[in-house]
Amino acid sequence: MKKNALYAQSGGVTAVINASACGVIETARRHRDKIGKVYAGRNGIIGALTEDLIDTGKESPAAIAGLRTTPSGAFGSCRYKLKSLETHRREYERLIEVFRAHHIGYFFYNGGGDSADTCFKVSQLSNTLGYPVQAIHVPKTIDNDLPITDCCPGFGSVAKYVAVSVLEASFDVRSMARTSTKVFVVEVMGRHAGWIAAAGGLVEDQGIPVVILFPEIVFDEAKFLTRVDTLVKQHGYCTVVVSEGCHHADGTFLAEQGARDAFGHAQLGGAAPVVANLVKQALGHKFHWAVADYLQRAARHIASATDVKQAYQLGQRAVELALKGHNAVMPTLERVSDVPYRYKLGMAPLAKVANVEKFMPRDFISKDGFGITEKCRRYLLPLIQGEDYPKYKAGLPAYVTLKHVAVAKKLPEFELK
């Protein structure tokens, strides 16, 4: 009897995570002799735990193909972390029960570092409980902080959005600087790694004066203010790109609110107004600030063609690895050259991926800590290349909404704790 597959999305969604879903489902459909039905967890791992499954086989080929140009998580995502097997064994055993009840032998978990950890633990426990499941992690994170792989699907499109937004806003500020705003501050995502903020540095090629505040560089208020003031005096204005993870010497975030998210991470948000007010109080410059927030990761209309292609390929590759018998692995991107940009697909064991963060190398950050180097520019530029516009209807993108036909439940209700 053919085994079925389960696909689930995890954590913060991206402009291209559905392209990976498309890659998984379309590839599985091309191998009906080996893979039976393809189910999706409604709202990620929560759907798997509560046996709230979606039958993707009820979706038309056109609808599944439309996922490639549709942002966010088509099946719903969640921030629900399964921690150690010791403390959350009940949840892991429930997953195996659901897999067994629905004859699921392939598990494709599309997410970041936390989901890589969950995927790894599922593969371990499934063998222990005598119901082997091939657990393949499909990489996704706008933070670009997964190890081993050259880049992560979702990042290229966010980088493109941030670079374009910084460029356009800077043109606006430049035109008004003599009598109005002289400093524009934009806050971008990136808790511990400054990859997204680094993309703002690409606009320097067009003569825009930029100051970047990275999580990897301790915030030095005096040096920062001196740099801003110098640029304003030289150019009449400047733009500041601050990562939400920018922090003081004692480790406290500029944006820390005292709350925690579902993964136990500090709830951030508010670095931009903090920085903008420092500029106002110390230098007296007029300012404006903005927080990119969901806009940066939802902007499918300006997605990087490179990013879309890679997201699809990694979803496709995940299925191919499973069919070859691999387990507890993640498909990766291995860069071959910067110019011309070439890469190949590889594979990494989840034991070396789970809970490991990839930070900006110091030689990607300028000596003064406020910009990017040529090496960083060579890394970033290929990832934002090309446009992959969705189809438009009545002036708006024509995105896909799936039917979400539920799979009949076979098990008792399960209460999340």
Side-chain angles (χ1 to χ4, degrees):
M1 184 177 178
K2 290 181 294 186
K3 295 179 181 179
N4 298 323
L6 175 66
Y7 168 82
Q9 298 174 324
S10 175
V13 293
T14 78
V16 302
I17 187 173
N18 287 334
S20 290
C22 180
V24 168
I25 297 169
E26 288 188 340
T27 306
R29 287 184 174 186
R30 289 195 293 269
H31 294 277
R32 296 182 191 275
D33 58 323
K34 297 179 181 178
I35 299 177
K37 294 182 179 294
V38 179
Y39 300 133
R42 193 189 306 271
N43 298 319
I45 201 70
I46 288 179
L49 287 167
T50 60
E51 202 187 359
D52 189 1
L53 307 180
I54 296 166
D55 186 352
T56 70
K58 302 298 183 181
E59 305 292 346
S60 69
I64 296 302
L67 292 178
R68 186 166 178 148
T69 55
T70 298
S72 77
F75 302 103
S77 186
C78 67
R79 294 193 183 279
Y80 186 86
K81 182 178 181 179
L82 295 180
K83 299 179 181 178
S84 69
L85 288 172
E86 293 73 24
T87 60
H88 281 63
R89 189 176 181 87
R90 169 178 172 270
E91 284 84 355
Y92 285 103
E93 291 181 344
R94 168 66 174 189
L95 285 177
I96 303 303
E97 287 179 6
V98 172
F99 292 163
R100 191 190 304 271
H102 294 274
H103 200 62
I104 293 167
Y106 306 102
F107 177 44
F108 302 103
Y109 204 19
N110 201 173
D114 289 318
S115 61
D117 180 58
T118 297
C119 197
F120 181 52
K121 289 185 172 68
V122 166
S123 70
Q124 291 179 305
L125 186 61
S126 68
N127 288 323
T128 301
L129 296 181
Y131 185 78
V133 175
Q134 286 174 252
I136 311 293
H137 182 246
V138 185
K140 171 245 48 163
T141 174
I142 64 168
D143 291 334
N144 199 39
D145 60 357
L146 288 175
I148 303 176
T149 188
D150 178 67
C151 61
C152 303
F155 169 69
S157 294
V158 169
K160 189 179 185 77
Y161 175 87
V162 167
V164 170
S165 298
V166 169
L167 180 64
E168 293 176 338
S170 297
F171 268 57
D172 186 305
V173 174
R174 183 174 66 184
S175 68
M176 299 293 293
R178 182 169 182 176
T179 58
S180 186
T181 301
K182 294 188 182 302
V183 178
F184 176 65
V185 182
V186 59
E187 177 181 336
V188 300
M189 290 179 175
R191 181 178 303 275
H192 298 131
W195 297 102
I196 299 176
L202 293 174
V203 305
E204 290 180 321
D205 291 344
Q206 297 201 33
I208 304 297
V210 177
V211 176
I212 305 174
L213 299 178
F214 299 96
E216 290 87 352
I217 303 294
V218 172
F219 181 65
D220 185 318
E221 182 177 330
K223 285 180 62 178
F224 164 70
L225 291 172
T226 298
R227 181 60 178 158
V228 169
D229 199 37
T230 298
L231 289 177
V232 170
K233 288 175 179 176
Q234 289 177 346
H235 300 273
Y237 74 103
C238 83
T239 296
V240 178
V241 182
V242 55
S243 171
E244 64 178 355
C246 184
H247 60 85
H248 298 286
D250 63 1
T252 58
F253 295 107
L254 272 66
E256 192 158 343
Q257 300 173 334
R260 298 270 163 183
D261 66 16
F263 288 152
H265 304 143
Q267 188 74 49
L268 304 182
V274 169
V275 170
N277 280 309
L278 284 176
V279 170
K280 175 66 175 177
Q281 292 167 6
L283 305 176
H285 298 315
K286 291 183 179 180
F287 67 86
H288 270 276
W289 60 266
V291 180
D293 202 48
Y294 280 14
L295 299 177
Q296 64 199 302
R297 73 185 199 197
R300 181 58 186 80
H301 67 286
I302 197 171
S304 154
T306 297
D307 194 26
V308 175
K309 178 182 178 181
Q310 292 178 338
Y312 183 91
Q313 287 179 325
L314 289 173
Q316 180 180 43
R317 184 64 172 165
V319 176
E320 293 170 349
L321 290 175
L323 292 176
K324 289 180 179 178
H326 292 288
N327 187 22
V329 298
M330 180 184 81
T332 61
L333 298 163
E334 299 178 5
R335 186 176 297 219
V336 176
S337 66
D338 296 326
V339 183
Y341 178 53
R342 292 200 302 267
Y343 63 91
K344 61 183 180 179
L345 299 179
M347 179 181 70
L350 288 183
K352 294 185 177 181
V353 175
N355 299 312
V356 178
E357 289 182 288
K358 179 178 69 179
F359 305 108
M360 286 272 292
R362 186 60 182 87
D363 62 359
F364 273 31
I365 302 173
S366 61
K367 188 174 181 181
D368 66 5
F370 294 128
I372 62 174
T373 62
E374 183 57 34
K375 186 175 182 180
C376 181
R377 188 172 282 102
R378 289 198 306 271
Y379 170 80
L380 291 173
L381 280 174
L383 306 183
I384 68 169
Q385 296 305 305
E387 290 70 50
D388 189 298
Y389 298 120
K391 293 181 180 178
Y392 278 72
K393 181 179 181 180
L396 294 174
Y399 293 142
V400 168
T401 298
L402 301 180
K403 293 185 290 188
H404 285 186
V405 177
V407 177
K409 293 187 177 184
K410 301 180 179 181
L411 299 172
E413 293 294 320
F414 183 81
E415 183 179 349
L416 297 173
K417 292 183 179 180

